[in-house]
Amino acid sequence: MTIANATKRLQDYLGERFSTQPAILQQHSQDESYFPVIQPDGVTFPNDTSEVAKIVAICAEEVCPIIPWGVGTSLEGHALALEGGITMNFANMKQVLGIHSDDLCVVVQPGITREELNHELRNTGLFFPIDPGANATIGGMTATSASGTTAVKYGTMRDNVKAMEIVCADGHIIRTGNRAKKSSAGYDLNALFIGSEGTLGLITEITLKLSGIPDKIAAATCCFNDIDSAVNAVISIIQLGIPIARVELLDSIMIQGLNLWDKTFDLPELPHLFLEFHGSQLHVNEQAEETKEIIAEFGGRNFKWATHVEDRNFLWRGRHNSYYAAKALRPGCKVLTTDSCVPISKLAEAINETTQEIERSPLRGPIVGHVGDGNFHATLLIDPDSTEELEIAKQISYRINELSVRLGGTITGEHGIGAGKLDYMPLEHGSAWQTMQLIKKALDPKNIFNPGKVVQIA
Amino acid sequence: MTIANATKRLQDYLGERFSTQPAILQQHSQDESYFPVIQPDGVTFPNDTSEVAKIVAICAEEVCPIIPWGVGTSLEGHALALEGGITMNFANMKQVLGIHSDDLCVVVQPGITREELNHELRNTGLFFPIDPGANATIGGMTATSASGTTAVKYGTMRDNVKAMEIVCADGHIIRTGNRAKKSSAGYDLNALFIGSEGTLGLITEITLKLSGIPDKIAAATCCFNDIDSAVNAVISIIQLGIPIARVELLDSIMIQGLNLWDKTFDLPELPHLFLEFHGSQLHVNEQAEETKEIIAEFGGRNFKWATHVEDRNFLWRGRHNSYYAAKALRPGCKVLTTDSCVPISKLAEAINETTQEIERSPLRGPIVGHVGDGNFHATLLIDPDSTEELEIAKQISYRINELSVRLGGTITGEHGIGAGKLDYMPLEHGSAWQTMQLIKKALDPKNIFNPGKVVQIA
């Protein structure tokens, strides 16, 4: 009953698909968060569900932690082996198992990335719309309930994962959900496992909802004199029910970073909205006209369309790389990113207080957000060698999280809890966190699945 | 530790808001299902959450079952005291606690019905769109994950319940969810309690998503020579992504019943679709034109618009009363209703096989369905005094359920499991049903919440 026994047995079982090579351990020792490097005791590369089940059975007997790994783009230490144990890398499980065009869904293995999936779908007229920026795996996105720029129209992983195959803590395999549009057949296990961050079971197959590629896509940018006007324009767009597909806020500091990161952007250093509309030609025009009127009402200007696919790609490449654009403002820095999501009516208040919070500190922290959802990120830029700066960033983060909950929102709209936000769980959930721990204990009594994340087991 | 102790203590605690009067017990002894009458040991009428919590604490100590009750419209025996115990009627908890128009949501107590709620919202420009036909309570609808005619556009209760207050099995109170549009903060308890049918906790407060009343609503009916053409037209409408708000199928026998139930209908006795479009004037026209073309392609005719609110209400009154219209075909009968929901591509096959199944039997069973979701009901008409007919109906139901699962769907799209579909849980869920029982045991270790429903505890 030790991790050492587990690694020995896994070596025997998997041969060279179990690795303790320094380079491999190193590769699995950090994600994109500010967490210190920490190595697992070994890395497994299962080829299929039955191997996952066998690995789990061995680890359950040996009480050895298992940490699932996609491509390591998580931001809160989700995929780090904080209590040792073995990392399970799903790189060998990235097949598309079936495309069901007539039911608008696809069945995939967890290791496929969202870009790979959309490449596979290229001849179907369908696409998988969820877009967190990073080219994460579908397994990772499901496990963290990811979303991103398109959530305002297409929802999050919670709205787009229809069914899963899951390996449970004793190695037995279950299926959650089905391919029908709705079901009232008992507890919604599918919803329970989405966003459970590998702490309740390992996802080995996922059925995703797909969307038809819209007849017409049009994107645009515009700028505002102040952030308040930009946010109030967004609130108005959402409250009027305009079914916009993307509406992203970049504050003036983030625009500065973007211009630095790629000089072809050359945008005025003012708060910007990046917008996108999907639908029929007629419907897109209608939405765009209504939106333009609202933006003008709030003093928005420099309205520039990007209808050609190359222009749109250029625009969204900028938005998607805001993490790196932010880093361009302070070469060599690390980033602590907040992830507030508040009711839309509280968005202006939340962004105002966040901005003031950052301005009162010695740090810079450009703000970017999927503001149509009420979700925004302060990307706090810190010197990697300064524990003092990390401490200041954490204090700012604490106050922003406290604010989000106070305004009726959440500490994390899309990044998840991991280990980084564990301490905030009582703040958001009160005693409902205890209910989560009861579920964890019931489904993973030995606490082998990604221990130290989401819940705290004594 | 007996039910008798519990009733005595509840009498002391609640006075006349605890009742064992025969008329009251009788009122809580049957829902709208085919189940035999069974009386609870008493009925409580709590006034607020703290009273619910106290009642639960007493019942937990005495190991006395608690069965939540809305208005008794459930169809699978959900609200029956099958193992004795006390029924909790939420009639005194029907307040609207807050309307948050700017965030498109409302906070209510569970005892309010959906029609009462929409009446309260009448001056806000907003409405609560979920419409199961019956004027059920919001608590009941949440507990069964109800949906109905509008689910094709607005989703089910799973998509429209944002947050809840819940009294747990030891009497402590938790909150699930929040008012933000999305969250990745841990296990989705909100989703777990939706559709848990009162078996995991008692819902004492619900935050619902609201929708803007569309600028334009247009409804229409049309008929087809055969049911296959009607279903294939619907499949085509859905696969083309037309955002229709309602698309209901009524087979020729159901139309016969409707004409009998209210002679003003006077529809040709052929399969019909009842349709509704919501949106801007422009967008509704666009949807309606596209839909008409598809319907014509499949031989649909007699396309009749109902744009005036009175005409629309007349039309939907007919659809909503299909339960009674079906009963009009056989006065004095009882009804066993199936609730298949299959992937849209399998809908024609599912309805065909269901029709044949009924035709092979001596029973009549008109079919009606929210076919845009792949959901349809065979309403099997049985002599209440014939155990033989009930047995035949159950056999038909078994084969329809088996078919639904085989086609990748579910045994219940919107009615829930209750006691009536308990035996089918292994068919649909396999060993995932065991996972549900682990959760039940973790959250309600004494099995006091609505025992005998959803899960089976030894």
Side-chain angles (χ1 to χ4, degrees):
Chain A
M1 274 228 325
T2 63
I3 291 176
N5 275 350
T7 55
K8 199 182 161 315
R9 289 177 63 186
L10 290 170
Q11 179 83 67
D12 291 347
Y13 175 55
L14 293 166
E16 58 185 28
R17 287 186 293 102
F18 177 79
S19 177
T20 53
Q21 284 176 39
I24 298 287
L25 298 184
Q26 180 62 24
Q27 183 203 335
H28 294 85
S29 68
Q30 56 185 324
D31 55 14
E32 291 194 8
S33 68
Y34 55 88
F35 274 74
V37 166
I38 184 163
Q39 293 192 346
D41 291 290
V43 182
T44 59
F45 295 87
N47 280 343
D48 57 32
T49 301
S50 68
E51 285 192 359
V52 173
K54 176 70 180 165
I55 295 167
V56 170
I58 290 171
C59 288
E61 281 171 26
E62 303 295 347
V63 195
C64 169
I66 306 174
I67 300 97
W69 180 278
V71 287
T73 53
S74 51
L75 292 164
E76 295 292 352
H78 301 75
L80 301 183
L82 299 182
E83 304 183 11
I86 65 115
T87 295
M88 186 179 287
N89 184 317
F90 285 95
N92 292 344
M93 291 176 67
K94 50 165 68 196
Q95 280 179 65
V96 172
L97 300 171
I99 299 175
H100 304 278
S101 302
D102 42 4
D103 289 319
L104 302 178
C105 66
V106 65
V107 184
V108 300
Q109 290 185 312
I112 193 168
T113 69
R114 65 174 184 87
E115 288 179 7
E116 287 165 348
L117 172 59
N118 275 322
H119 183 73
E120 294 288 326
L121 295 171
R122 68 196 177 284
N123 295 322
T124 62
L126 302 172
F127 78 123
F128 176 65
I130 309 301
D131 180 359
N135 186 23
T137 61
I138 298 300
M141 288 173 66
T142 304
T144 50
S145 182
S147 49
T149 55
T150 57
V152 64
K153 184 177 179 78
Y154 297 94
T156 71
M157 291 306 278
R158 296 202 195 282
D159 306 295
N160 288 277
V161 171
K162 296 175 72 72
M164 284 185 272
E165 179 188 72
I166 302 222
V167 176
C168 296
D170 56 1
H172 90 269
I173 298 160
I174 63 169
R175 290 195 160 268
T176 65
N178 57 60
R179 277 181 24 228
K181 188 158 174 197
K182 62 187 188 183
S183 173
S184 287
Y187 309 154
D188 193 347
L189 294 183
N190 202 54
L192 181 65
F193 282 99
I194 299 168
S196 65
E197 303 185 8
T199 64
L200 298 179
L202 299 178
I203 303 166
T204 49
E205 189 187 298
I206 303 152
T207 302
L208 294 169
K209 196 170 141 182
L210 298 175
S211 294
I213 294 175
D215 288 347
K216 168 91 175 173
I217 300 177
T221 57
C222 61
C223 66
F224 294 80
N225 281 341
D226 55 88
I227 198 164
D228 244 26
S229 304
V231 173
N232 285 321
V234 172
I235 294 175
S236 200
I237 290 166
I238 298 302
Q239 289 180 342
L240 283 169
I242 298 173
I244 199 163
R246 289 176 159 149
V247 52
E248 297 287 314
L249 172 77
L250 295 87
D251 77 354
S252 53
I253 310 178
M254 187 57 93
I255 296 291
Q256 228 179 83
L258 199 58
N259 289 340
L260 269 177
W261 176 74
D262 181 341
K263 292 193 174 22
T264 44
F265 271 97
D266 194 26
L267 292 163
E269 286 182 8
L270 288 168
H272 273 69
L273 292 181
F274 286 17
L275 310 156
E276 195 165 273
F277 305 94
H278 293 181
S280 66
Q281 176 83 51
L282 203 67
H283 198 210
V284 161
N285 290 348
E286 192 185 38
Q287 294 174 51
E289 277 312 310
E290 285 176 352
T291 303
K292 267 182 80 169
E293 273 173 38
I294 294 167
I295 283 170
E297 222 172 277
F298 288 92
R301 56 201 162 77
N302 267 34
F303 207 94
K304 282 190 193 150
W305 285 105
T307 36
H308 289 293
V309 66
E310 301 76 23
D311 299 339
R312 283 207 318 272
N313 287 349
F314 175 73
L315 190 160
W316 293 115
R317 193 176 63 90
R319 167 60 190 91
H320 283 153
N321 284 288
S322 61
Y323 179 82
Y324 304 103
K327 285 181 120 178
L329 291 164
R330 190 177 184 184
C333 70
K334 271 198 169 186
V335 173
L336 188 152
T337 308
T338 68
D339 186 26
S340 291
C341 189
V342 297
I344 196 77
S345 70
K346 305 291 183 191
L347 184 61
E349 185 178 346
I351 290 184
N352 266 334
E353 283 206 35
T354 299
T355 308
Q356 286 167 27
E357 199 63 67
I358 298 166
E359 279 172 0
R360 274 195 295 270
S361 84
L363 298 182
R364 297 191 85 184
I367 288 176
V368 65
H370 321 306
V371 281
D373 299 330
N375 186 203
F376 65 96
H377 312 294
T379 46
L380 304 168
L381 311 178
I382 50 183
D383 176 347
D385 299 320
S386 164
T387 52
E388 195 197 349
E389 286 198 10
L390 178 60
E391 197 42 49
I392 293 169
K394 284 186 172 174
Q395 281 168 20
I396 296 173
S397 171
Y398 173 80
R399 286 190 291 271
I400 293 174
N401 289 337
E402 194 279 333
L403 171 72
S404 307
V405 172
R406 180 156 43 82
L407 295 177
T410 175
I411 57 174
T412 172
E414 55 183 18
H415 294 170
I417 297 301
K421 286 204 161 126
L422 203 58
D423 292 344
Y424 298 112
M425 288 294 272
L427 173 72
E428 175 154 342
H429 294 292
S431 65
W433 197 33
Q434 306 307 319
T435 307
M436 294 186 201
Q437 331 236 39
L438 290 176
I439 293 170
K440 167 75 173 178
K441 281 182 195 157
L443 302 194
D444 179 20
K446 294 179 181 171
N447 195 20
I448 59 168
F449 284 147
N450 211 1
K453 323 291 166 65
V454 187
V455 288
Q456 210 151 33
I457 302 296
Chain B
M1 273 229 325
T2 63
I3 291 176
N5 275 352
T7 56
K8 199 183 162 313
R9 289 176 63 186
L10 290 169
Q11 179 83 67
D12 291 346
Y13 175 54
L14 292 166
E16 57 186 28
R17 287 187 292 103
F18 176 79
S19 177
T20 54
Q21 284 177 39
I24 297 287
L25 297 184
Q26 179 62 23
Q27 183 203 335
H28 295 84
S29 68
Q30 56 186 324
D31 55 15
E32 291 194 8
S33 68
Y34 55 88
F35 274 75
V37 166
I38 185 163
Q39 292 192 348
D41 290 290
V43 182
T44 58
F45 295 87
N47 280 343
D48 57 33
T49 301
S50 68
E51 285 191 0
V52 173
K54 176 70 181 166
I55 294 167
V56 170
I58 290 171
C59 288
E61 280 172 27
E62 303 294 348
V63 194
C64 169
I66 305 174
I67 300 96
W69 181 276
V71 287
T73 53
S74 50
L75 292 164
E76 295 292 351
H78 301 75
L80 301 182
L82 298 181
E83 304 184 9
I86 65 116
T87 295
M88 186 178 286
N89 184 318
F90 285 93
N92 292 344
M93 291 176 67
K94 50 165 67 196
Q95 281 179 65
V96 172
L97 300 171
I99 300 175
H100 304 279
S101 303
D102 42 4
D103 290 319
L104 303 179
C105 67
V106 64
V107 184
V108 301
Q109 290 184 312
I112 194 168
T113 70
R114 66 174 183 87
E115 287 179 6
E116 287 165 349
L117 172 59
N118 276 322
H119 183 74
E120 294 289 327
L121 295 171
R122 68 196 176 284
N123 296 323
T124 61
L126 302 172
F127 77 123
F128 176 66
I130 309 301
D131 180 358
N135 186 22
T137 61
I138 298 299
M141 287 172 67
T142 304
T144 50
S145 181
S147 49
T149 56
T150 56
V152 63
K153 185 176 179 78
Y154 297 95
T156 71
M157 292 305 278
R158 296 202 195 281
D159 306 295
N160 287 277
V161 171
K162 295 174 73 72
M164 285 185 271
E165 179 188 72
I166 305 234
V167 176
C168 296
D170 57 0
H172 91 269
I173 298 160
I174 64 170
R175 291 194 160 268
T176 66
N178 58 60
R179 279 185 18 232
K181 188 158 174 200
K182 62 186 188 183
S183 173
S184 288
Y187 308 155
D188 192 348
L189 294 182
N190 202 54
L192 181 65
F193 282 99
I194 299 168
S196 66
E197 302 185 9
T199 64
L200 297 179
L202 299 177
I203 303 166
T204 48
E205 189 187 296
I206 303 152
T207 302
L208 295 169
K209 195 170 142 182
L210 298 175
S211 293
I213 294 176
D215 287 347
K216 166 92 175 174
I217 300 177
T221 57
C222 62
C223 65
F224 293 80
N225 281 341
D226 55 88
I227 198 164
D228 244 27
S229 304
V231 173
N232 284 321
V234 172
I235 294 175
S236 199
I237 291 166
I238 297 302
Q239 289 181 341
L240 283 169
I242 299 173
I244 200 163
R246 287 175 157 143
V247 51
E248 296 287 314
L249 172 77
L250 296 87
D251 77 353
S252 54
I253 311 178
M254 187 57 93
I255 296 292
Q256 227 178 83
L258 199 58
N259 288 340
L260 269 176
W261 175 73
D262 183 340
K263 294 196 172 18
T264 43
F265 271 97
D266 195 26
L267 292 164
E269 287 182 6
L270 288 168
H272 273 69
L273 292 181
F274 286 17
L275 310 155
E276 196 165 273
F277 305 95
H278 293 181
S280 67
Q281 177 82 51
L282 203 66
H283 198 210
V284 162
N285 290 349
E286 193 185 37
Q287 293 175 51
E289 276 312 310
E290 286 175 352
T291 303
K292 266 181 81 169
E293 273 173 39
I294 294 166
I295 283 169
E297 223 172 278
F298 288 92
R301 56 200 162 78
N302 267 35
F303 207 93
K304 282 190 192 149
W305 285 106
T307 36
H308 289 293
V309 66
E310 301 77 22
D311 300 337
R312 283 208 318 272
N313 287 348
F314 175 73
L315 190 161
W316 292 114
R317 194 175 63 89
R319 166 61 190 90
H320 283 154
N321 284 289
S322 61
Y323 180 82
Y324 303 102
K327 285 181 121 178
L329 290 164
R330 189 178 185 184
C333 71
K334 270 197 170 187
V335 172
L336 188 150
T337 308
T338 68
D339 186 26
S340 292
C341 190
V342 297
I344 195 78
S345 70
K346 304 293 182 190
L347 185 60
E349 185 178 347
I351 290 185
N352 266 332
E353 282 206 35
T354 299
T355 308
Q356 286 167 28
E357 199 62 67
I358 298 166
E359 279 173 0
R360 274 196 294 270
S361 85
L363 299 183
R364 297 191 87 185
I367 289 176
V368 66
H370 321 306
V371 281
D373 298 332
N375 186 204
F376 65 96
H377 312 294
T379 47
L380 303 169
L381 311 179
I382 50 182
D383 176 348
D385 299 321
S386 165
T387 52
E388 195 196 349
E389 286 197 9
L390 178 59
E391 198 40 50
I392 293 169
K394 283 186 173 175
Q395 281 168 19
I396 296 172
S397 171
Y398 173 79
R399 286 190 291 271
I400 294 173
N401 289 337
E402 194 278 332
L403 171 72
S404 307
V405 172
R406 181 157 42 84
L407 296 177
T410 175
I411 57 175
T412 172
E414 55 183 18
H415 294 171
I417 297 301
K421 287 205 161 125
L422 202 58
D423 292 344
Y424 298 112
M425 289 294 272
L427 173 72
E428 176 154 341
H429 295 292
S431 65
W433 197 33
Q434 307 306 321
T435 307
M436 294 186 200
Q437 331 237 37
L438 290 176
I439 293 171
K440 166 74 172 177
K441 281 183 196 157
L443 301 195
D444 179 20
K446 294 179 181 172
N447 195 20
I448 59 169
F449 283 147
N450 211 3
K453 323 292 165 66
V454 187
V455 287
Q456 211 151 31
I457 300 297

